[in-house]
Amino acid sequence: MSDINIFGHQALFEHVYKSAPIGIALVTIEGSWISVNPAACKMFGYTDEELMAQPATDYIYSECINNKDKLLRSLDEASSTIAVEKQLVHKDGNVIWASIHVSLVRDDQDQTPLFFISQIVDITDSKVAEQKLQESIERYTSLKKYNHDAIISFNLEGRIINGNQMAEQLTGFKIPELIGTKISNLIGERNLARVLSSAADYVAAEKGINCIHHKDGHQVEVLATLAPIVIHGKNVGFYIIAKDMTEQKKAYHREGSSREDE
């Protein structure tokens, strides 16, 4: 009873083709449409007639379709399937990221190439999340490199993730010394508790962080700003951006003394 032939190849293929949750497109060797399944139409918001009125090459390995010999060699030599990621457009104009797997169907007798099967999976959500994460990393890298204030990131357990060069100058610690240690060593346990509170008032927490504990034991007066680290819509930690107020305070006191002398 395990023999698949008992079900009939044609009936089985038609059932899978029509019911599959992923898009399936059948395209000739010359790059013309043969058929497209309901899932592909739903993915792009078109009827099958509307979708098949567009170039079929958009939905297979279009970079190679104009060089069929290269495409056929790729399917023979490298793998039975070629996988690509590309952007396609929904009927409403929105961009869809798709993972496309193209395989070649050959004649059972003489192995003559017959047509391509293209399996299409919508990966828009994961691609957008990936791009947002990369943008976040790039912004943070740029911030770390060029900002003139100390920047220290820490997770929701209060452990330091990273910091920039100015953070080393402000704290007296090298970044490798700071990574993995408690941010409370620098800002105090009470301030950390305020930041991590589920009902955190960042403005109040910022005002409480007016000093950073230096490695040699003294305290550095700072003006602190807090910003949550959000990845995939979830808060995973915080940045503390601390401006060293030492020189400003000295200048203020000198100015005050000068006025008193007058």
Side-chain angles (χ1 to χ4, degrees):
M1 295 294 291
S2 62
D3 190 349
I4 197 170
N5 289 316
I6 197 171
F7 300 105
H9 287 293
Q10 186 66 27
L12 182 62
F13 174 79
E14 288 182 4
H15 174 76
V16 172
Y17 182 73
K18 292 178 180 178
S19 305
I22 65 171
I24 301 175
L26 307 183
V27 179
T28 68
I29 299 300
E30 289 71 32
S32 300
W33 285 108
I34 297 174
S35 181
V36 62
N37 77 338
C41 295
K42 183 178 179 181
M43 188 183 302
F44 299 107
Y46 293 104
T47 65
D48 54 353
E49 292 86 359
E50 290 173 331
L51 192 57
M52 292 176 67
Q54 300 181 41
T57 52
D58 287 350
Y59 299 89
I60 62 169
Y61 196 38
S62 56
E63 289 79 1
C64 275
I65 196 62
N66 292 326
N67 187 341
K68 289 188 287 293
D69 290 339
K70 180 180 178 182
L71 179 55
L72 296 174
R73 280 199 308 273
S74 297
L75 288 167
D76 279 340
E77 298 169 1
S79 170
S80 59
T81 303
I82 291 177
V84 294
E85 290 182 0
K86 64 186 302 183
Q87 289 181 308
L88 299 167
V89 181
H90 191 276
K91 184 178 180 179
D92 63 13
N94 290 324
V95 171
I96 293 177
W97 273 99
S99 175
I100 300 177
H101 294 253
V102 182
S103 55
L104 178 63
V105 177
R106 293 178 178 274
D107 184 274
D108 288 337
Q109 302 299 321
D110 59 11
Q111 296 300 299
T112 301
L114 298 177
F115 59 89
F116 296 110
I117 296 181
S118 179
Q119 300 175 65
I120 310 165
V121 179
D122 186 344
I123 59 169
T124 305
D125 289 344
S126 61
K127 202 69 177 179
V128 169
E130 177 186 319
Q131 289 176 333
K132 286 182 177 178
L133 176 58
Q134 185 59 37
E135 288 170 4
S136 177
I137 291 170
E138 289 174 358
R139 284 198 302 271
Y140 177 57
T141 301
S142 178
L143 193 64
K144 281 205 316 173
K145 185 175 181 180
Y146 298 110
N147 201 285
H148 298 298
D149 299 328
I151 302 173
I152 300 171
S153 57
F154 57 97
N155 61 24
L156 297 181
E157 285 73 49
R159 297 283 176 182
I160 294 174
I161 301 170
N162 212 334
N164 66 352
Q165 186 175 355
M166 292 303 295
E168 293 185 338
Q169 295 184 30
L170 186 71
T171 66
F173 292 96
K174 295 295 184 183
I175 296 304
E177 294 180 279
L178 288 174
I179 293 175
T181 64
K182 297 282 283 184
I183 189 68
S184 57
N185 294 335
L186 302 179
I187 65 173
E189 288 288 353
R190 182 176 296 180
N191 285 326
L192 175 59
R194 286 175 182 160
V195 175
L196 298 181
S197 168
S198 58
D201 179 350
Y202 296 144
V203 175
E206 288 171 353
K207 290 180 179 177
I209 305 172
N210 50 29
C211 289
I212 294 289
H213 300 296
H214 193 276
K215 183 178 182 179
D216 66 12
H218 78 277
Q219 293 189 337
V220 181
E221 291 187 77
V222 298
L223 179 64
T225 302
L226 289 167
I229 303 173
V230 179
I231 297 177
H232 297 176
K234 184 178 179 181
N235 183 12
V236 298
F238 295 88
Y239 297 122
I240 178 170
I241 304 169
K243 178 183 288 294
D244 187 343
M245 300 299 290
T246 305
E247 292 304 318
Q248 286 88 333
K249 291 283 187 179
K250 287 180 179 178
Y252 175 79
H253 289 309
R254 283 198 298 270
E255 185 178 337
S257 298
S258 298
R259 288 176 180 172
E260 290 176 2
D261 292 341
E262 292 174 359

